[in-house]
Every structure is written in C-alpha cells, then in structure tokens.
Amino acid sequence: MTTWCRRALVALLLAQAASLCAAPGCDTLEPVPWRAVAPGAWVWLPPDGGDVSPANAGHVVPTSVLVSGRQALVIDPGPSHRHGERVRRSLACRFGAQVRWIVNTHAHSENVLANSAFAADVAAGRTQILATAPTREGMALRCPDCLASLTQRVGDEAMAGTRIVLPTRTLSEGEVLRLGRWRLRVMRVEHAHTEGDLVLWDARQRVLWAGGLVYQGRVPELAQGHLDGWIAALDRLQALGPKQVIATTWSVAPASGFPSALLDTRAYLGALREKTLQAMDAGAQPQEIDRVALPAFSGWAGYGARHGFNVLRAWRELEPVWMDQAKPAR
C-alpha cells in the first residue's frame, strides 16, 4: 500500500470515528455484541440461552437487524424499552443508520415490547412497525398482561419506561420487503406457535427468520399453539432448504443438511404427538404426565416448567383425532 493510500485510509477511519462520537450519547453507549449473519445482516444473541430471569432481563430470543446505507430493518426488537434503546442507538452510532422498519414476528412479550423505544419515531412517521393482523390483535389483547408478567419476573428496573406500542401496518402472504441486497418474502403461518406467526425468507441468501417456530435446547411453548399446525409449519420451512435459521436461536446448517434447531424442534413436537397418542392407547388420563415423559429432551431448558403443560395442550388437541382413529370401521 502506498503512503498516500495509507494516509487516505487513516483519514477515512478517523472521519468515521469522529462522526460516531459526534452523535448524541455515542460516547456513553453500552456496546451491542452484534454477530454477522451475512453481508448487511447482524444478530444480537441472548446471553445465556435459558428462560426469562432477572439475570438476562428477558433477553431470551435474538434481535436481528438488516442494514443498507443509512436505513435499517429490525426483526423482533426485544423485551423492553431499555433493550430497544440499545438497538436504536447502536444502529445510529455503529452503522449510522435510522430504523425505518420493525418486524414483529408474533405476539410474545420478549419479542415485541422493545417497540417502546421507537415510539417517537413511529409517531413522527419515520418508522413503521410491521406484523400480521393476528399478531397485532394478539398484542392488543395480551400485551398488557404480558408486560405486567415480564416486569414481575425480571424486575421494575429492567422494564423501566416500557410501554405497549402496536404495529402500524399489517403484512400479507407473499409480500416482499426490500432493503439493499435483501428480498424478504413474507410467509404467514397460522395456528402453529401462536394464532399468527410471521416468517421471512430470503431465497437468494437462504436465510430464514422463523419467529417463535424454531427452538434449540429449550422446550417450545404451546400456550397459544397448535401441535399439528406447528409440525406442518416446520415441514413447510424445511422444504425451503434454509442454510441459516434465526428464531428463538440462531442455527446454521452443515455443508449438507438442515439447521439442527429446525430438526430438533420437529423431533420434540413429533415425539410429543406420538407419545401422547400412545398414552391414550394405553388408557392413561391427561393428568398422568409421566406417561408422556420424553427423556431425550429432559435436559432442555424449561422441561420441568413447560413439558407437562404441553402434554395437556397436546392431549386436548389430539383426543378428537384419537377417538376418530379408534372408531370401528363400518
């Protein structure tokens, strides 16, 4: 490299550093540990991979961003005003980008309550919050209780300033969100993890944002879910052939095959379905949770707290299926 090139490079770096430091609050910003997914795409992973606790302040699912020039799109901004503020300020300070769009993939508090940090931008028309109609309806119905519940679990300080900010625009199946090189096709999945899950798929990059549909090392939640619909959704996602999945985790496929989290989630739900039907065949009652134990998944976070509840939900859903199967042929 010539002396002139070196001087030019140093000048450029100094100019960039000066512009970052000149932005209000950048000198006191708590850094966000963004990890690169692909050119222009970044993810902020949860600190411990476990369930909600005061230690993680509700940050149990990844926050993703796409950046192109001075524009940014945020997918699932996080659990609180404070978390969203770190995202917003990091994008401004590190990338020089303004958040133009926020995508809420589904109506769970740890994914959407950080909308709060963008309320002023939304009110001013600088930012849009995008979601499916069922997600917006679910947020309007449940977010007040979810905010209270999350505050109780992580503490008032972690949730300070957090308020409910609903999506401003609904998305339809097949819409395409464009930002730089990214072309995110909207896929709506209803009656799976929740009443309305949003999936974003970039076929060229083979990156899939699957919201709450894919887990790894944590037992999925069937609270608003439907077992058979969820299994069908995972089969649909696997058929796309993704190389990376970002959902409640970030999972990268090996040289040949599928991201392991996609397979693991399908394996748990499939085992839950099979074992529940076997318990019905054996004459068990719904409350006999031990009859539907799944030792292969007992080491996953939340197994003790959620698996029994999932059994009850699966039983209620599958009982009509089992009764139809048990009817004698005419």
Side-chain angles (χ1 to χ4, degrees), residues 105-148:
T105 62
H106 61 291
H108 280 171
S109 57
E110 60 267 30
N111 296 80
V112 305
L113 289 180
N115 288 357
S116 175
F118 303 90
D121 291 326
V122 170
R126 293 186 294 267
T127 302
Q128 285 187 311
I129 304 177
L130 316 177
T132 64
T135 290
R136 192 183 193 283
E137 292 164 6
M139 289 174 63
L141 178 65
R142 294 195 302 271
C143 273
D145 290 339
C146 291
L147 174 56

Side-chain angles (χ1 to χ4, degrees), residues 78-100:
S80 66
H81 186 90
R82 176 177 296 178
H83 187 97
E85 271 292 296
R86 285 185 65 185
V87 171
R88 185 182 63 80
R89 293 174 62 199
S90 177
L91 288 170
C93 294
R94 178 170 173 175
F95 300 103
Q98 162 75 38
V99 176
R100 300 298 184 189

